[in-house]
Amino acid sequence: MFSQPFSAWLSRRGLHFSWLIVAITFLTMLTSSAALGLPGALLQPLGREFGWNTDQISSALAIRFMLFGLIGPFAAIFMERFGLKRVICIALILIASCLLLSTVMSQLWHLFVLWGLILGVGSGMTALVLGAVVANRWFEKRRGLVIGVLTASSATGQLIFLPFAAWLIEHYGWRMAVLPVFFACALVCVLAFLFMRDRPHDMGLVPYGGAADMPPPAAAPAASMTLMEPLRVLANVSRNRTFWVLAGTFFICGLSTSGLIQTHFISLCGDYGMAAVPAASVLAMMGAFDFVGTILSGWLSDRYDNRKLLFWYYGLRGLSLFWLPHSEFTLYGLSLFAMFYGLDWIATVPPTVKLAGAAFGKERAGMVFGWIFAAHQIGSAVAAYGAGLTRTWLLTYNPALYAAGAACLLAAVIIFLVRKPPLVPR
């Protein structure tokens, strides 16, 4: 209703409607990542109010991470069958409902249903697959830049919401802290309902950078529209060594990022006497470095051997995790950690996507990467629960930090089991 006149208004000012689609997608992924990161600030407040220990809360968060990943391979099917607008609106409604209902929860099973099941499914529908679909449908040029910016949206969500959430928890309680993310989800849902469209040809446009006489895309084959197609793709690529190397290294990526640091960092800092607001500010600093690092990684992945990039990313991340327990949690020590760790938080995504595309072809790369991303989230779930268990049993997170650091060094080595892709002339 509003998209057609607004597209004409943008066109008169020399702007393509695709950039509005990118903005809405960016906000969608930003708010869903903020919702995913928010429980990390609530570990200690929930424990104090309800008496739940760290591993009980972490087990619910582990379910969230696992569903977030396992929904990914099927998200593209949902988008093809039901359209981007419906998928985005349903996902944001699920996330917003989960956040609002969590303010009245009182039992541990409420936490599992709301922050485990509902948040996992809702956020999984707006995972990295959404950014890839939008970039491929709406752009012929600047596609790599668009993917880099959309991937970095998760860092921006953390950057904007977590310090403010920690401040609200400290001054007004944890229930008040979920409301900004709730209202953000509601606002983005309205924007998506009003302006989101599936493809440029729905608006009488061609993709950004496409030729004026570019034909509309052919309809997807019926076989690829079934929920069995991702399983068929998995069965096919599971015989390929490259798939298992990429899935294994991405498992370690999830193990050492969202499952460990995003979930437990504020609680870890609390063990060393640091208040929640400064700890969340360090996370925000990581988000700022990651925003730069991910976009830069997309630029580097077009110019250098992606295996060597991943070697450096995983190696530096592993060394930074070994450093963290010895940083003494001073401003200098944590700033050093935030810089090295933050620069490659999600910087592993562009090289991994490029290697998957080179190994499995452009047509299957999205769905194959969906399964690789599922491995990432399984790793996140293992770390979210394992680190919580370590904290409950041993009263320290250090073994989890050392184990994740060692796993990163292993990933830096095994990535060279992937064959070097052939050079493509520019």
Side-chain angles (χ1 to χ4, degrees):
M1 177 170 57
F2 293 98
S3 53
Q4 200 73 45
F6 195 74
S7 175
W9 184 85
L10 289 174
S11 181
R12 288 194 297 270
R13 286 155 180 78
L15 295 174
H16 197 281
F17 190 75
S18 58
W19 294 111
L20 178 63
I21 298 296
V22 168
I24 294 173
T25 305
F26 183 91
L27 292 173
T28 299
M29 297 174 69
L30 181 150
T31 51
S32 63
S33 70
L36 274 176
L38 185 61
L42 304 179
L43 283 175
Q44 293 185 346
L46 290 177
R48 287 193 296 266
E49 178 168 336
F50 297 110
W52 303 332
N53 58 37
T54 306
D55 69 293
Q56 287 176 318
I57 301 173
S58 299
S59 58
L61 305 187
I63 295 174
R64 169 200 61 169
F65 281 124
M66 191 170 296
L67 285 174
F68 178 64
L70 293 176
I71 292 291
F74 300 92
I77 301 295
F78 298 149
M79 293 171 198
E80 191 70 37
R81 293 187 64 176
F82 305 112
L84 291 173
K85 178 192 293 188
R86 289 179 181 174
V87 169
I88 288 174
C89 289
I90 290 173
L92 291 173
I93 288 170
L94 285 174
I95 295 171
S97 301
C98 152
L99 294 174
L100 191 61
L101 290 172
S102 68
T103 61
V104 295
M105 66 181 177
S106 58
Q107 303 294 324
L108 186 61
W109 70 267
H110 297 166
L111 183 73
F112 277 84
V113 171
L114 295 174
W115 283 358
L117 179 62
I118 299 178
L119 183 56
V121 172
S123 59
M125 293 165 66
T126 58
L128 295 178
V129 176
L130 173 62
V133 169
V134 167
N136 283 310
R137 288 185 182 183
W138 283 87
F139 288 83
E140 286 296 315
K141 295 181 179 179
R142 308 287 179 87
R143 189 178 291 168
L145 174 65
V146 170
I147 291 177
V149 170
L150 293 179
T151 301
S153 63
S154 60
T156 308
Q158 180 174 289
L159 174 69
I160 292 174
F161 285 99
L162 267 185
F164 184 47
W167 183 84
L168 287 173
I169 291 170
E170 188 174 292
H171 290 85
Y172 299 102
W174 67 267
R175 288 174 177 83
M176 189 64 68
V178 307
L179 295 182
V181 184
F182 165 78
F183 287 120
C185 288
L187 175 61
V188 177
C189 183
V190 172
L191 291 175
F193 181 79
L194 294 177
F195 296 106
M196 199 71 188
R197 298 296 290 269
D198 285 338
R199 290 179 173 82
H201 289 86
D202 298 342
M203 304 282 296
L205 302 171
V206 295
Y208 179 86
D213 58 350
M214 188 176 181
S224 66
M225 294 281 287
T226 67
L227 293 179
M228 293 301 296
E229 181 62 17
L231 299 177
R232 284 193 286 265
V233 170
L234 176 62
N236 185 265
V237 301
S238 63
R239 297 188 289 270
N240 190 307
R241 182 181 69 182
T242 296
F243 170 78
W244 288 111
V245 173
L246 294 178
T249 53
F250 232 44
F251 173 92
I252 293 171
C253 182
L255 185 84
S256 56
T257 53
S258 52
L260 178 62
I261 297 299
Q262 187 182 51
T263 302
H264 294 283
F265 184 77
I266 295 178
S267 178
L268 167 67
C269 291
D271 289 347
Y272 286 86
M274 179 177 283
V277 174
S281 299
V282 175
L283 275 177
M285 189 189 305
M286 293 181 207
F289 279 112
D290 178 65
F291 186 84
V292 175
T294 301
I295 296 175
L296 178 62
S297 177
W299 183 85
L300 291 172
S301 66
D302 288 329
R303 291 161 173 80
Y304 298 99
D305 186 342
N306 288 277
R307 302 172 308 157
K308 293 180 180 178
L309 293 178
L310 290 173
F311 169 82
W312 284 107
Y313 297 161
Y314 284 119
L316 289 173
R317 185 187 299 172
L319 294 176
S320 65
L321 287 170
F322 280 125
W323 157 257
L324 180 57
H326 305 283
S327 67
E328 298 181 357
F329 289 80
T330 61
L331 178 62
Y332 171 78
L334 288 180
S335 298
L336 192 64
F337 171 75
M339 180 177 66
F340 282 101
Y341 184 87
L343 281 172
D344 68 2
W345 182 309
I346 315 179
T348 54
V349 173
T352 303
V353 171
K354 295 275 287 188
L355 289 172
F360 304 106
K362 181 181 177 181
E363 294 76 14
R364 293 196 302 170
M367 202 168 290
V368 173
F369 180 71
W371 285 113
I372 294 171
F373 181 68
H376 180 284
Q377 293 308 114
I378 293 173
S380 297
V382 170
Y385 178 70
L389 201 62
T390 300
R391 173 63 178 79
T392 299
W393 285 0
L394 305 178
L395 304 180
T396 177
Y397 283 108
N398 287 356
L401 295 172
Y402 291 137
C408 287
L409 298 182
L410 175 64
V413 174
I414 66 174
I415 193 60
F416 287 105
L417 293 175
V418 176
R419 293 180 181 177
K420 184 177 181 179
L423 292 176
V424 179
R426 296 181 187 175

